Amino acid sequence: LTPLPQKDGNGKLGLVEFNVLWNRIRNYLSIFRKFDLDKSGSISAYELRLALEAAGYRLNKRLHELLITRYAEPDLALDFDSFVCCLVRLETMF
């Protein structure tokens, strides 16, 4: 994935920038739905590992645990919003 849109620093998304962002969110939703195996609207820590690998991120155990600690609810599940935040953070890190 390429860096997030909004390159000119004006604080606004132009049509091209919006299109990039929209397509990225649609891709995230497709991945999320594929790995929300029980269709609960959230993914487990195990499902997150599979979803992140599908998105192109092979993470070591420690980094995966850190993401779960940061983005998951107490039951260790992530909803779609948290999943997007997690992927955005990974994109900026890599």
Side-chain angles (χ1 to χ4, degrees), residues 53-73:
E53 287 179 4
Y57 296 101
R58 290 191 59 89
L59 307 176
N60 65 37
K61 182 180 178 184
R62 180 68 181 135
L63 186 51
H64 184 258
E65 289 171 354
L66 287 171
L67 291 173
I68 293 297
T69 301
R70 169 64 180 92
Y71 294 102
E73 297 296 322

Side-chain angles (χ1 to χ4, degrees), residues 36-79:
D36 178 13
L37 301 176
D38 61 0
K39 307 301 180 216
S40 65
S42 63
I43 57 176
S44 69
Y46 173 73
E47 292 167 334
L48 175 64
R49 179 177 291 281
L50 298 175
L52 292 177
E53 287 179 4
Y57 296 101
R58 290 191 59 89
L59 307 176
N60 65 37
K61 182 180 178 184
R62 180 68 181 135
L63 186 51
H64 184 258
E65 289 171 354
L66 287 171
L67 291 173
I68 293 297
T69 301
R70 169 64 180 92
Y71 294 102
E73 297 296 322
D75 64 355
L76 302 181
L78 285 87
D79 60 15

Side-chain angles (χ1 to χ4, degrees), residues 2-56:
T2 59
L4 293 175
Q6 215 304 298
K7 299 190 185 305
D8 59 11
N10 69 359
K12 298 178 182 178
L13 289 177
L15 186 56
V16 172
E17 295 165 328
F18 176 79
N19 190 44
V20 169
L21 180 61
W22 183 251
N23 287 331
R24 188 164 294 160
I25 291 172
R26 287 180 35 205
N27 182 47
Y28 293 164
L29 183 58
S30 174
I31 292 169
F32 185 86
R33 285 181 173 159
K34 180 178 179 182
F35 292 97
D36 178 13
L37 301 176
D38 61 0
K39 307 301 180 216
S40 65
S42 63
I43 57 176
S44 69
Y46 173 73
E47 292 167 334
L48 175 64
R49 179 177 291 281
L50 298 175
L52 292 177
E53 287 179 4

